[in-house]
Amino acid sequence: MSNNVIYANSRISARETKLLDNEKLHRLLDCNTLSDAIKTLAEYGIGDGTESDADVILQKDREQLMSFVKELKLDGAFINAVLTKYDFHNVKVLMKAKYMRFTEYAHMLFPEYKYDVKRLAEKIKADDYTDVDPVLRDALTSVDEAFANGSRNPKTIDIIIDKAYYDYAVKKTKGDKLARRYFAFEIFALNTLTFLRARKMKLDVSEFKTQYIGERDETYLLFVDGYQKVDGMDGLIARYEHTDYGKLLRNINGLNISDAEKIADDTLIKIVSGKKDDVFSEAKCVAYVLAREREQNAVNLILTSVKNKTDKAFVTQRLRGIDG
């Protein structure tokens, strides 16, 4: 196991040097046409310069990332939990296709990790969930029940499957201290962002409760208590003052959602990156996957903005990975 991790980390080190830095992202953003941007991406090793669709480029890039990580043959709980997110995403797509009755969804799928997409699609269509993890099986059954009872909103699928994913990830990584810290923070950040969005949209507190991920514990009660208050985060900040949670809350209090998301993402990267120099740890692989995903999100935003002639200052402000 240790020799395999050391070998994997050496291969990742060679690839880390090819990640797009701020200078390259700015150069991409400065392209005048989508064609120029795609050719520039090819110079960076993403695509071959002949594609005309950003979705195609990103889909191929995700497939290459998954193929590379599978080649490393790592089997730790942390990296497995991170990559299983791709399967849960595909489940959401397939369940929406099932209930919204659309057939053109291939472009929406992510590379499969453990579950073969074709077989998964057949099973979901047949209401047969015997081949999936029990946590996911229960979630799929809950979706069926919700739609049978009249809640035919695709958002219902997102909420139920997302909750199932984090339940799965937490259970699978309970023996990994770094993974526990990572997922605990990610869940807290997601709940905080849901809190901010729901309040901004002036939704009833019941909407926040429905979307809340995790146990109905002290943190949940503090969120609910602060929901109707002007200074809604004060109780949470006081409770978690000297932790990563408190720092996140102080930094994002009063910010727009996009800036808050960037701060949350930055913190998640730092949690993992702090351990990536340990040659016996899979943290380096997790950090690389997160960095590549962040890179893909940045490329997608830039290509969309170049295509639509969006104001560059507006885009730069919202880019994760570019310093404004």
Side-chain angles (χ1 to χ4, degrees):
M1 171 65 177
S2 59
N3 287 337
N4 193 40
V5 173
I6 293 172
Y7 169 71
N9 286 341
S10 67
R11 290 193 64 190
I12 292 168
S13 293
R15 294 208 173 201
E16 283 178 326
T17 61
K18 298 179 181 179
L19 288 168
L20 303 187
D21 57 20
N22 288 346
E23 182 180 348
K24 289 178 179 178
L25 289 172
H26 276 297
R27 182 187 168 201
L28 189 63
L29 182 59
D30 286 337
C31 291
N32 292 319
T33 67
L34 181 60
S35 177
D36 289 342
I38 289 173
K39 290 177 182 176
T40 301
L41 265 183
E43 294 177 20
Y44 299 155
I46 300 177
D48 60 15
T50 64
E51 301 94 340
S52 58
D53 190 296
D55 288 339
V56 172
I57 295 173
L58 290 169
Q59 191 171 43
K60 288 181 179 178
D61 197 55
R62 292 189 188 101
E63 289 171 355
Q64 289 171 359
L65 173 60
M66 181 62 78
S67 177
F68 169 67
V69 176
K70 284 182 176 180
E71 286 177 12
L72 301 178
K73 299 186 183 303
L74 298 174
D75 59 0
F78 195 3
I79 187 62
N80 272 299
V82 169
L83 294 177
T84 300
K85 170 179 57 180
Y86 289 69
D87 288 332
F88 276 73
H89 168 85
N90 290 340
V91 166
K92 289 195 290 185
V93 172
L94 294 172
M95 288 297 279
K96 289 176 184 177
K98 172 182 173 179
Y99 281 109
M100 303 299 111
R101 301 188 185 283
F102 59 83
T103 57
E104 300 297 324
Y105 56 78
H107 64 288
M108 302 166 64
L109 295 168
F110 278 6
E112 60 195 41
Y113 179 49
K114 289 186 176 180
Y115 296 124
D116 178 86
V117 172
K118 184 177 180 180
R119 179 174 173 79
L120 190 61
E122 293 171 350
K123 290 287 189 177
I124 285 177
K125 188 176 181 179
D127 299 332
D128 180 359
Y129 311 138
T130 54
D131 291 348
V132 300
D133 184 271
V135 172
L136 183 53
R137 186 186 311 143
D138 290 344
L140 292 170
T141 302
S142 295
V143 170
D144 287 341
E145 291 173 350
F147 274 75
N149 293 328
S151 180
R152 306 188 67 82
N153 187 336
K155 187 176 180 181
T156 299
I157 296 173
D158 288 333
I159 292 171
I160 292 175
I161 302 302
D162 283 344
K163 286 184 178 183
Y165 167 67
Y166 286 104
D167 185 20
Y168 172 90
V170 168
K171 287 180 178 178
K172 293 296 183 181
T173 60
K174 62 182 179 181
D176 186 314
K177 183 178 179 181
L178 179 62
R180 289 203 313 272
R181 181 185 173 200
Y182 173 88
F183 283 113
F185 183 86
E186 184 173 28
I187 290 168
F188 184 87
L190 288 171
N191 286 330
T192 302
L193 292 169
T194 298
F195 179 89
L196 293 175
R197 290 191 189 95
R199 275 169 49 105
K200 184 177 181 180
M201 296 171 66
K202 302 186 186 307
L203 300 179
D204 187 82
V205 67
S206 61
E207 289 292 326
F208 169 74
K209 291 179 179 179
T210 298
Q211 296 181 51
Y212 187 88
I213 299 170
E215 301 293 329
R216 268 39 179 174
D217 53 11
E218 178 190 5
T219 303
Y220 168 78
L221 294 175
L222 287 171
F223 270 118
V224 171
D225 180 64
Y227 194 84
Q228 308 284 1
K229 297 179 180 179
V230 176
D231 299 319
M233 289 190 180
D234 283 359
L236 286 156
I237 291 173
R239 170 64 180 82
Y240 295 109
E241 183 177 3
H242 301 296
T243 68
D244 288 338
Y245 300 162
K247 184 177 181 181
L248 171 71
L249 293 168
R250 287 194 301 274
N251 285 339
I252 70 176
N253 204 7
L255 294 182
N256 62 47
I257 300 298
S258 180
D259 287 341
E261 288 175 337
K262 182 180 184 301
I263 290 173
D265 279 358
D266 286 343
T267 307
L268 285 168
I269 291 284
K270 289 176 182 177
I271 287 173
V272 181
S273 296
K275 298 291 185 179
K276 73 174 188 176
D277 290 334
D278 181 353
V279 295
F280 299 106
S281 169
E282 292 185 353
K284 190 177 187 70
C285 186
V286 173
Y288 179 70
V289 170
L290 297 179
R292 285 291 307 278
E293 290 176 347
R294 187 172 187 163
E295 179 181 87
Q296 289 160 357
N297 290 335
V299 167
N300 184 44
L301 180 57
I302 291 173
L303 293 182
T304 301
S305 69
V306 171
K307 179 180 179 179
N308 296 326
K309 307 295 183 183
T310 308
D311 179 71
K312 292 179 182 178
F314 177 84
V315 176
T316 301
Q317 185 179 7
R318 280 153 182 78
L319 270 174
R320 301 176 199 177
I322 287 186
D323 297 326

